[in-house]
Amino acid sequence: MAKGRELKGRIKSVENTRKITRTMEMVSTSKMKRAQDRVTAARPYATALGDVISSLYTPELAERFPLLRQPAKVRRAAIILINSNRGLAGAFNSNLIKEARALMTRLRGQGTETELHITGRKAIGYFRYIGEPLAIARTDITDRPTPGDAASLVDTLMQRFIEGSLDAVYVVYAQFRSALSTPPTAEQILPVTPPKRSGAAPDYLLFPSAEEILTELLPSYVRNAVYRTLVETAAAEHGARRTAMKNATDNATELLSLYRRAYNRSRQAQITQEIAEIVGGAAALE
């Protein structure tokens, strides 16, 4: 009966694990819905900002704004990697790290120096393990990012870009398309490239002037781009964790079914053996 007791212990252990993974799946589902609402709210504002900048943009104005400066050669670039502080999300963190490494390899192959600005313990631990120097390593940005978090990440980089010590800034993040589709994405946010318009440009009545409006809008556009990547990555993280926990729950259910069948066969064999011993003993007494 030792095998039966061992199987009962395994069944109990898997049942406890399934309770945990099912609870984590439900929590991630709830958090993902709130994070998805933040993504939905952030996208129209980003689109509107891009439309206004695209409408105001002219080659003459571009020469007056450092954030629109297109360097002849990218000598030094900053990479902001948005990652997670927690695991148990499948390949979510590792896919973002691979995307950042691929971007670094491509830029360095072009002769560009790179520096890493990372949010999230998982990526920080990985790059420190491989000996990659980090310009910034932050773990204080939660899965409910704010516009202030985005400003704290990019304001210093914007100033360095204006001064000319940086020629490009990239963000590596998880683009949230759906709960099942969150591909890692590398996006260049500096220099600002106005999005292409489709259709006729609206006829704006400008006050005080296009130049003064762009002075205010361009930094806001860059900060909003970083904020959007933060909220999309947060939603993608919850989606990945929900999927991982659902898979773990399904696997635990399947494993329980196998263990219970094995336990029932073991118990049945034990009962059969006991009956055979009783019948054999009775026959011996006759």
Side-chain angles (χ1 to χ4, degrees):
M1 194 60 186
K3 186 176 180 182
R5 286 196 296 269
E6 181 182 347
L7 287 170
K8 286 185 69 174
R10 291 183 182 179
I11 289 171
K12 185 65 175 177
S13 176
V14 174
E15 285 177 340
N16 291 336
T17 301
R18 187 175 64 169
K19 288 178 184 178
I20 295 171
T21 57
R22 183 174 289 165
T23 301
M24 292 182 68
E25 177 189 348
M26 294 171 63
V27 170
S28 293
T29 301
S30 175
K31 288 185 175 181
M32 185 188 69
K33 178 60 174 67
R34 293 194 293 268
Q36 190 173 355
D37 290 341
R38 288 192 288 272
V39 172
T40 304
R43 283 175 175 169
Y45 182 67
T47 301
L49 274 178
D51 288 344
V52 173
I53 290 174
S54 179
S55 299
L56 298 179
Y57 177 85
T58 63
E60 294 77 16
L61 280 177
E63 296 177 359
R64 307 178 195 173
F65 293 94
L67 294 180
L68 295 170
R69 170 179 61 88
Q70 300 289 334
K73 178 176 175 56
V74 179
R75 300 181 307 276
R76 189 171 186 84
I79 299 172
I80 303 173
L81 171 56
I82 312 296
N83 206 246
S84 171
N85 285 325
R86 297 184 296 160
L88 298 178
F92 173 78
N93 290 309
S94 60
N95 286 341
L96 286 169
I97 291 171
K98 287 178 184 177
E99 184 69 22
R101 290 199 67 181
L103 177 60
M104 290 169 60
T105 300
R106 177 169 62 84
L107 291 174
R108 289 173 177 176
Q110 297 169 357
T112 302
E113 294 182 33
T114 61
E115 58 182 58
L116 273 174
H117 300 248
I118 297 180
T119 70
R121 287 191 179 91
K122 295 301 178 181
I124 291 171
Y126 172 80
F127 282 103
R128 282 179 174 166
Y129 175 76
I130 65 172
E132 186 70 37
L134 305 180
I136 286 179
R138 295 182 55 176
T139 60
D140 59 316
I141 297 178
T142 67
D143 58 355
R144 301 185 65 180
T146 65
D149 293 328
S152 68
L153 272 175
V154 79
D155 278 1
T156 301
L157 298 179
M158 273 198 292
Q159 186 59 40
R160 290 176 59 194
F161 183 84
I162 291 171
E163 294 168 354
S165 60
L166 278 179
D167 299 305
V169 177
Y170 296 84
V171 180
V172 177
Y173 70 103
Q175 184 182 16
F176 185 83
R177 295 176 182 172
S178 69
L180 298 177
S181 178
T182 58
T185 305
E187 182 177 314
Q188 185 173 350
I189 60 171
L190 284 175
V192 173
T193 303
K196 295 181 180 179
R197 291 194 56 83
S198 56
D203 185 14
Y204 288 113
L205 180 63
L206 302 178
F207 181 82
S209 66
E211 185 171 351
E212 292 186 54
I213 292 172
L214 281 176
T215 300
E216 295 295 328
L217 281 189
L218 285 173
S220 297
Y221 179 75
V222 176
R223 294 186 190 108
N224 183 261
V226 176
Y227 174 70
R228 179 178 53 80
T229 65
L230 287 171
V231 295
E232 291 206 26
T233 302
E237 177 191 351
H238 292 309
R241 185 167 292 112
R242 172 184 174 274
T243 300
M245 291 301 99
K246 183 180 186 304
N247 290 339
T249 302
D250 293 344
N251 290 339
T253 300
E254 183 178 350
L255 194 58
L256 275 175
S257 178
L258 293 175
Y259 281 160
R260 284 169 177 159
R261 282 201 298 268
Y263 175 77
N264 290 336
R265 284 196 297 268
S266 173
R267 180 61 180 155
Q268 186 177 14
Q270 180 69 20
I271 293 173
T272 302
Q273 181 181 352
E274 291 175 355
I275 292 175
E277 291 174 352
I278 293 172
V279 170
L285 294 174
E286 292 179 358

